[in-house]
Amino acid sequence: MTEVAGLAPELAGAKKGMGSKPLASASERFTSYDVEAFEVPSGREENWRFTPRRRLRGLWETTTFDAAPTVTVSEGATVETVGRDDARIGEGGVPADRIAAAAWSAFTEATVVTLDGTPDPVTVSVTGPGEGVVAAGHVQIRTTPHTVATVVVENTGSGTLADNLEVVVADGSTLHLVVTEEWADDAVHAGAHHFSIGRDATLRGVAVQFGGDLVRIVSTVNYRGPGGDAELLGLGYADAGQHLEQRLLVDHGVPHCTSNVLYKNALQGDGAHTVWIGDVLIRAAAEQTETFELNRNLVLTPGARADSVPNLEIETGEIVSAGHASATGRFDDEQLFYLQSRGIPEDAARRLVVRGFFGEILSKITLPELRERLEAAVEAELAVTGV
Amino acid sequence: MSTLEIKDLHVSIAVDGGTKEILTGVNLTIRGGETHAIMGPNGSGKSTLAYAIAGHPKYEVTSGEILLDGVDVLSMTVDERARAGLFLAMQYPVEVPGVSTANFLRSAATAVRGEAPKLRLWVKEVKAAMSDLDIDPAFVDRNVNEGFSGGEKKRQEVLQLSLLKPKFAVLDETDSGLDVDALRVVSEGVNRYREGGETGVLLITHYTRILQHITPDVVHVFAGGKVVESGGPELADELEKNGYVRFTQPAAV
């Protein structure tokens, strides 16, 4: 077992019988498809300590679910509903926490969406089971070799959802993937995204978190062959009382792969909380890796809290570059005064700052309609506090 | 012609467990076309006067008046004051991450002029104004003041001055931290603004060297939170020679 001192404390596993011994390395992270292999977390584990347990509506320990979410897919892709014995299930990755494993152990039908060089964007709509109902879901998105595809996964509705989203990017293919969390106010979503990047494959991912009472997304990127390139962008906007959590592990296990992570969150209102954990592991075999991860948080009002923990763990020196950064800034009275002193009214000043902050992410969304919709969503968030 | 009148202005700031009066009755009248220099030792309240005119929330006006062409400025918000024609070039311009200089300048011009400037003309106007101040055109794409050196920030302040064309500009130690060349460039920018029409300038400075580039009509000595003496440019020469001792020592000797 490789010991890498002081790195990746967040990755303490929850394997049964392991107790509370912290893991020194992301490479030791425990994964399993079986919920029974995980202990019920105490809440003190590194990968749970930021998540408010009592707001998870029982997902914390449950192994049974009432329902499944409604999944519909627009035209342009091959859509199959398959049983859990389908050979493709699991190609994306393996659950790394108890809720993801519980959802995996519980689902009866999965939706497999295959993009076969579809030029037009395909929309996958996932609708929550409704208020008071707890659901487990499973979706897999896959491309075929040497194709280019665009998929938007829209999560909306009410209720509680634990699910796994597998994304299998075939060799030489490019997938543009946008996943939006635009839940109703009551909704709780604990999701796991498993990205498997093929040889010379490219993933351009954008994760958008706006709605819901609690949203926690755990994303893992794995490379199946050299030449893989993953860009993961994130945009979150937490309002009063909202908990938005983004946990990422980019696991570089093969040479000549690239990853770029950039997540930006804005927070406003009492009890607004964002959590960003960015882990990058460069294993000994992953020579010539090029990676950068960055998190920026903008606190717009007092009473909001942003947690940000970047971890970079490097087991080989033969890399191109590796870096990480995190910063949380406050839109403060001095900035407001400065902009106002140039004639810009207070509400316009705040808009200017927020638009500027998110512009870097939004400008990378290539679908004009989606970009406009998200820009409108940001404007709507700004209107919430009446600024 | 515009007039900026400051009448018996008293300003306090919050300190531990109370308030402290910084301005103790400032009287000052500036007419369009005039340049007034305010000189004084550190801690005399010069910057407080600048911020009070601009409306910074930290500074509480406890009594007195500020009138712009007879209209009460103190009842206006910070942005209303700017749109009414007041401008403060700050000693320490604020960094605004995430907002590009181009976007900021255009938003400010739109607010102050009451309509968005025509894009084609605007780009030309900004380019010309930047060139006048020896500012690299690449600065428009950078975030407002983020990572700028002290001198670059001061140039940006004067750039904004030249684009927003206020009735009255308060320059708060715009000369501090500038090397000789930057001081010349910035001074030339202020002079171009002065030549532009019936505009008034309140030049706050600790040093006389900027007055060699920008000739004031009136020099005020500021001490103890108010104007203690006013005179012509020759007053600056006296300060250069003798310092502020005469104004800060108790009269009895």
Side-chain angles (χ1 to χ4, degrees):
Chain A
M1 189 160 65
T2 319
E3 287 279 340
V4 183
L7 292 172
E10 99 91 3
L11 294 151
K15 186 183 178 181
K16 258 197 176 152
M18 231 167 119
S20 60
K21 175 181 166 290
L23 288 184
S25 168
S27 59
E28 298 168 33
R29 183 167 82 156
F30 176 72
T31 59
S32 171
Y33 297 115
D34 179 13
V35 61
E36 298 301 341
F38 292 87
E39 276 182 23
V40 174
S42 69
R44 289 189 302 274
E45 295 83 358
E46 187 62 31
N47 65 342
W48 286 109
R49 70 186 177 101
F50 292 107
T51 313
R53 172 160 64 165
R54 58 191 160 71
R55 284 164 61 186
L56 276 169
R57 311 257 172 75
L59 286 181
W60 194 256
E61 50 190 354
T62 194
T63 54
T64 57
F65 293 84
D66 315 323
T70 309
V71 179
T72 57
V73 184
S74 69
E75 282 182 24
T78 306
V79 183
E80 300 161 77
T81 303
V82 304
R84 47 187 310 114
D85 54 344
D86 189 286
R88 294 167 295 181
I89 296 298
E91 280 185 11
V94 190
D97 68 43
R98 194 173 198 276
I99 294 180
W104 199 296
S105 299
F107 81 90
T108 50
E109 287 182 334
T111 305
V112 176
V113 181
T114 305
L115 287 307
D116 189 4
T118 318
D120 295 326
V122 170
T123 301
V124 178
S125 304
V126 178
T127 311
E131 210 163 340
V133 184
V134 181
H138 199 104
V139 173
Q140 186 182 79
I141 293 168
R142 42 196 306 129
T143 58
T144 51
H146 305 291
T147 58
V148 179
T150 301
V151 178
V152 181
V153 179
E154 297 178 339
N155 290 287
T156 59
S158 283
T160 301
L161 174 65
D163 67 355
N164 289 276
L165 172 65
E166 292 185 68
V167 178
V168 183
V169 189
D171 291 355
S173 72
T174 297
L175 175 64
H176 297 267
L177 176 69
V178 180
V179 182
T180 65
E181 310 282 337
E182 294 175 281
W183 297 98
D185 290 345
D186 71 287
V188 169
H189 183 203
H193 294 175
H194 311 275
F195 299 104
S196 176
I197 316 291
R199 182 183 181 116
D200 298 323
T202 301
L203 171 71
R204 295 277 173 264
V206 185
V208 179
Q209 298 187 354
F210 282 133
D213 176 63
L214 184 156
V215 175
R216 174 186 148 116
I217 304 296
V218 179
S219 304
T220 307
V221 177
N222 281 292
Y223 298 87
R224 297 196 305 278
D229 178 4
E231 177 184 71
L232 299 176
L233 306 178
L235 184 167
Y237 206 130
D239 289 320
Q242 228 181 350
H243 178 94
L244 302 179
E245 184 166 344
Q246 307 132 1
R247 314 184 73 90
L248 300 111
L249 168 62
V250 182
D251 189 342
H252 282 276
V254 296
H256 293 285
C257 288
T258 303
S259 64
N260 182 34
V261 175
L262 170 61
Y263 269 62
K264 287 190 165 188
N265 293 312
L267 302 88
Q268 64 187 14
D270 243 1
H273 190 194
T274 61
V275 178
W276 179 86
I277 311 293
D279 293 320
V280 173
L281 167 63
I282 303 173
R283 293 177 191 265
E287 295 185 353
Q288 303 310 316
T289 291
E290 191 173 347
T291 176
F292 196 77
E293 53 169 351
L294 178 66
N295 173 227
R296 290 268 182 274
N297 302 301
L298 176 65
V299 179
L300 291 164
T301 65
R305 172 184 168 140
D307 286 298
S308 178
V309 186
N311 291 305
L312 178 58
E313 190 179 347
I314 306 174
E315 293 176 0
T316 173
E318 300 296 317
I319 58 169
V320 177
S321 64
H324 63 180
S326 159
T328 297
R330 183 175 291 282
F331 179 61
D332 64 24
D333 294 344
E334 293 304 320
Q335 292 171 3
L336 179 62
F337 171 73
Y338 189 71
L339 295 172
Q340 278 190 281
S341 79
R342 300 306 183 243
I344 302 168
E346 178 172 353
D347 59 341
R350 215 172 277 272
R351 276 163 209 277
L352 198 61
V353 167
V354 172
R355 277 197 203 118
F357 180 70
F358 283 134
E360 188 181 357
I361 306 276
L362 289 171
S363 65
K364 290 192 174 170
I365 295 178
T366 46
L367 298 173
E369 313 84 54
L370 180 66
R371 187 174 61 239
E372 281 162 26
R373 184 156 70 74
L374 296 177
E375 281 167 355
V378 169
E379 298 294 321
E381 292 282 351
L382 278 161
V384 167
T385 43
V387 292
Chain B
M1 189 191 289
S2 290
T3 310
L4 180 65
E5 293 170 273
I6 299 167
K7 295 181 178 173
D8 194 28
L9 189 70
H10 290 253
V11 172
S12 294
I13 58 164
V15 289
D16 287 340
T19 59
K20 183 181 177 195
E21 186 168 69
I22 307 289
L23 298 188
T24 56
V26 177
N27 288 291
L28 203 57
T29 300
I30 309 169
R31 290 181 187 80
E34 294 178 353
T35 295
H36 291 226
I38 290 193
M39 306 194 61
N42 290 331
S44 59
K46 304 188 300 289
S47 284
T48 298
L49 175 62
Y51 279 119
I53 295 170
H56 194 290
K58 193 177 136 194
Y59 300 90
E60 191 201 346
V61 175
T62 52
S63 68
E65 283 184 299
I66 301 177
L67 303 172
L68 176 61
D69 297 333
V71 179
D72 177 22
V73 168
L74 294 176
S75 65
M76 297 180 192
T77 61
V78 174
D79 48 300
E80 283 169 350
R81 294 179 198 206
R83 294 198 296 276
L86 295 176
F87 180 90
L88 168 61
M90 296 184 200
Q91 185 178 0
Y92 302 108
V94 180
E95 301 191 1
V96 190
V99 178
S100 73
T101 299
N103 196 358
F104 166 62
L105 292 176
R106 191 166 161 80
S107 300
T110 301
V112 167
R113 297 177 190 182
E115 59 175 358
K118 298 239 182 329
L119 195 58
R120 197 171 51 83
L121 298 174
W122 172 248
V123 171
K124 243 189 211 168
E125 189 183 346
V126 173
K127 263 194 189 144
M130 290 178 82
S131 157
D132 283 344
L133 290 162
D134 286 349
I135 298 172
D136 183 341
F139 271 75
V140 292
D141 295 323
R142 292 179 60 180
N143 290 333
V144 175
N145 290 323
E146 195 178 34
F148 292 13
S149 72
E152 286 164 348
K153 286 180 181 172
K154 296 299 173 71
R155 284 178 205 230
Q156 291 290 324
E157 296 293 285
V158 178
L159 172 67
Q160 293 163 28
L161 171 70
S162 67
L163 291 170
L164 300 180
K165 300 182 176 63
K167 289 178 182 167
F168 287 94
V170 180
L171 309 181
D172 186 14
E173 308 220 2
T174 298
D175 54 330
S176 67
L178 295 183
D179 62 28
V180 177
D181 290 332
L183 181 65
R184 182 181 48 76
V185 169
V186 161
S187 301
E188 284 169 5
V190 174
N191 285 331
R192 269 192 301 277
Y193 158 71
R194 292 206 297 167
E195 290 155 11
E198 301 284 289
T199 54
V201 174
L202 185 61
L203 185 70
I204 295 173
T205 182
H206 184 73
Y207 306 104
T208 54
R209 61 172 192 160
I210 194 172
L211 303 181
Q212 289 156 16
H213 299 273
I214 303 172
T215 314
D217 300 297
V218 186
V219 174
H220 306 280
V221 180
F222 213 75
K226 59 183 168 189
V227 175
V228 292
E229 189 161 323
S230 301
E234 71 282 353
L235 186 53
D237 299 334
E238 193 213 317
L239 292 171
E240 174 72 26
K241 226 178 289 162
N242 303 327
Y244 295 108
V245 180
R246 173 159 82 84
F247 304 100
T248 52
Q249 295 293 320
V253 167

